[in-house]
Amino acid sequence: MPRVRFLNPHGLKSTGPLEIEVKRGESILEAAEECHARVGHACGGNLACSTCHVWVHEGIDSLPEVHDKENDIMDKAFDVRPESRLACQAKIGDQDLVIEITQESLQAWLDENPDERKREAAEAQARRAAAAATAANG
């Protein structure tokens, strides 16, 4: 069974890659959801937005060809590269994949998960307050 490795599964908070074994024919988005990698999907994976935009660093040749509709939607994405794919459309073949989640997709995931976004903001504020207190006492 092929493996998918997400290099930055939680954006800047990632402590390392996340890897999952998947069934052939599963989408990159489905693999991300199974292992809790933060790939956005505002349209629910229905090819109506570009929030699941990822970069495929390894294994891209094993993915099905990009169809016209995916290309049309990709025109809405930011920082499109030759290795860009929409995770909802890219069905995994026989080869392992190495994926980087775009900043656009990571932000979309946070927008789709407001409780997590608020929790992370509170943690960041607490870290800043602790650092300020340490600097004031130090």
Side-chain angles (χ1 to χ4, degrees):
M1 288 176 55
R3 299 185 71 74
V4 178
R5 173 180 267 195
F6 293 93
L7 297 175
N8 59 335
H10 302 111
L12 297 175
K13 291 182 57 179
S14 297
T15 56
L18 192 61
E19 195 167 305
I20 184 170
E21 192 171 78
V22 297
K23 292 181 238 156
R24 187 179 187 287
E26 199 170 306
S27 73
I28 293 172
L29 179 58
E30 290 168 326
E33 289 182 325
E34 285 178 38
C35 69
H36 306 288
R38 294 180 171 183
V39 174
H41 51 286
C43 72
N46 292 306
L47 192 56
C49 71
S50 62
T51 58
C52 66
H53 176 210
V54 297
W55 297 309
V56 182
H57 292 293
E58 293 178 22
I60 195 163
D61 292 336
S62 70
L63 299 175
E65 198 171 307
V66 177
H67 293 281
D68 290 341
K69 179 74 172 163
E70 183 179 355
N71 261 334
D72 291 345
I73 297 295
M74 194 68 77
D75 286 341
K76 300 175 185 177
F78 297 99
D79 199 10
V80 175
R81 303 175 183 179
E83 65 270 21
S84 289
R85 288 301 302 262
L86 295 180
C88 69
Q89 296 303 299
K91 302 292 184 190
I92 299 161
D94 294 323
Q95 291 183 7
D96 294 348
L97 301 177
V98 176
I99 306 294
E100 182 179 354
I101 305 168
T102 65
Q103 186 57 43
E104 170 189 21
S105 189
L106 291 162
Q107 184 59 51
W109 187 92
L110 284 173
D111 292 346
E112 295 160 17
N113 294 275
D115 291 340
E116 185 67 19
R117 185 179 65 234
K118 288 175 190 173
R119 187 186 65 73
E120 285 189 12
E123 287 175 0
Q125 184 176 0
R127 283 192 303 274
R128 286 191 299 274
T134 302
N137 293 331

